[in-house]
Amino acid sequence: MAVIVITGASSGLGEALALHLSRPGTTLHLIARRGERLNAFAERVRERGSLPRLHVADVRSPDAMQDVATNVLGEGPPPDLVIANAGIRGEGDGNSGKVLEEILATNVLGAAYSILPFLPAMREARKGQVVVVGSLAGYRGLPDAGAYCASKAALMAWTDSLRLSLKPDGIALSLVNPGFVTTEMTRRNPYPMPFVMSAEEAARRIVRGIHRESPRIEFPLPMVLMVRLLALLPPQTGDWLIRMFSKKNHESSRRLD
Ligand SMILES: NC(=O)c1ccc[n+]([C@@H]2O[C@H](COP(=O)([O-])OP(=O)(O)OC[C@H]3O[C@@H](n4cnc5c(N)ncnc54)[C@H](OP(=O)(O)O)[C@@H]3O)[C@@H](O)[C@H]2O)c1
């Protein structure tokens, strides 16, 4: 009887992960703010034989997430898997305090508030897995996405540290860094999305990495190589390449107008 907790389960990657992990004998705790979306989705999980448990909560609230954990732990054994997936891209480039605050509160603090309340019980049981959904955008500051990139960079450093402290207690941690995935978050993107993939394909790759307990689950490979190379280059060279790429895309999209 597996117990799985997923935040951001009302759309996109969270939904796809929940479906991929649904099987008879599994209890899926699904968390998001939009209760009506969770309700509609729960039926699909039930059809696959899993027991859906719904929690309408905001990951930015430590009290709300503590309440969720208390409910989950009150029902049965500690979770086998906690996936902190909820995240936002936000409006604007992140060069305003409000945007920066909102994105960091959701993507960084929200991930921490989703995981931390479960850790004492998981540590005591000496088992379980924690998964955090970051992004390849965390490797390098990209144009018009400063706050988003900063939030995902923070998750890389935080999860590297947390992984080290969880390992002796028998808890594995994976950070997932996807490239572009077709979801509500990217549907309105005005720029080209190289190597974009469906949420179902992304979920399949993530679940494979979870089974292997990979510390980093990153895909697609060409994007992984590109962002890792960009991160290694001197900043001026990286800036120049990004400017060239943006200019080329701007020109080709104007030709299409
Ligand atoms: N799509 C991509 O190309 C891509 C690439 C790399 C990484 N990612 C990451 O993948 C994760 C999932 O994103 P997605 O693409 O699936 O986007 P999405 O379809 O917009 O889903 C985001 C999910 O997060 C939930 N959420 C947002 N703010 C929340 C809050 N304050 N409290 C609780 N839940 C909240 C949303 O639910 P409610 O609105 O109902 O609360 C929704 O279920 C994010 O961490 C994102 O950064 C996405």
Side-chain angles (χ1 to χ4, degrees):
M1 180 77 182
V3 177
I4 298 174
V5 176
I6 307 179
T7 70
S10 62
S11 74
L13 260 182
E15 266 192 2
L17 281 168
L19 285 180
H20 214 81
L21 291 163
S22 290
R23 51 186 49 84
T26 299
T27 303
L28 280 176
H29 291 275
L30 307 174
I31 304 162
R33 291 165 302 177
R34 288 171 294 175
E36 72 291 353
R37 290 279 300 242
L38 286 179
N39 266 320
F41 176 61
E43 194 46 41
R44 297 177 64 195
V45 169
R46 219 174 270 119
E47 277 165 12
R48 295 190 178 209
S50 274
L51 176 66
R53 310 285 290 140
L54 311 183
H55 307 266
V56 177
D58 189 325
V59 295
R60 292 170 297 182
S61 160
D63 292 345
M65 296 314 290
Q66 179 61 59
D67 286 349
V68 170
T70 304
N71 286 334
V72 172
L73 294 169
E75 263 189 24
D80 300 279
L81 177 61
V82 179
I83 306 181
N85 161 73
I88 54 168
R89 161 71 177 75
E91 300 295 333
D93 57 11
N95 297 329
S96 93
K98 182 105 187 69
V99 173
L100 198 53
E101 213 173 278
E102 191 169 334
I103 294 181
L104 294 179
T106 306
N107 296 1
V108 184
L109 295 177
Y113 298 152
S114 304
I115 294 165
L116 297 176
F118 290 106
L119 292 185
M122 290 170 79
R123 281 193 147 116
E124 204 183 326
R126 300 194 63 76
K127 70 178 185 68
Q129 247 181 298
V130 170
V131 173
V132 176
V133 180
S135 167
L136 289 178
Y139 276 101
R140 218 280 180 190
L142 299 169
D144 303 325
Y148 185 73
C149 294
S151 72
K152 299 301 186 178
L155 287 180
M156 282 207 236
W158 184 62
T159 53
D160 274 346
S161 171
L162 186 61
R163 191 177 59 250
L164 286 167
S165 87
L166 292 178
K167 180 78 177 163
D169 292 322
I171 302 168
L173 183 147
S174 303
L175 174 68
V176 181
N177 286 332
F180 291 112
V181 181
T182 313
T183 65
E184 278 179 22
M185 184 180 282
T186 51
R187 212 150 276 152
R188 284 175 297 130
N189 269 359
Y191 46 81
M193 297 191 284
F195 312 108
V196 65
M197 70 174 64
S198 67
E200 293 68 32
E201 172 58 18
R204 201 180 59 73
R205 293 183 188 217
I206 294 169
V207 171
R208 195 172 56 200
I210 291 174
H211 286 143
R212 290 179 182 158
E213 297 191 356
S214 308
R216 291 246 171 123
I217 303 169
E218 301 189 322
F219 55 84
L221 185 62
M223 279 292 275
V224 175
L225 296 176
M226 261 162 51
V227 293
R228 284 186 171 234
L229 176 66
L230 263 181
L232 284 176
L233 289 172
Q236 306 93 305
T237 317
D239 287 358
W240 180 81
L241 279 172
I242 290 171
R243 274 200 302 268
M244 292 303 286
F245 180 76
S246 309
K247 199 168 146 210
K248 206 167 140 237
N249 280 326
H250 183 66
E251 279 166 5
S252 56
S253 63
R254 277 185 55 182
R255 269 202 300 276
L256 292 175
D257 285 346

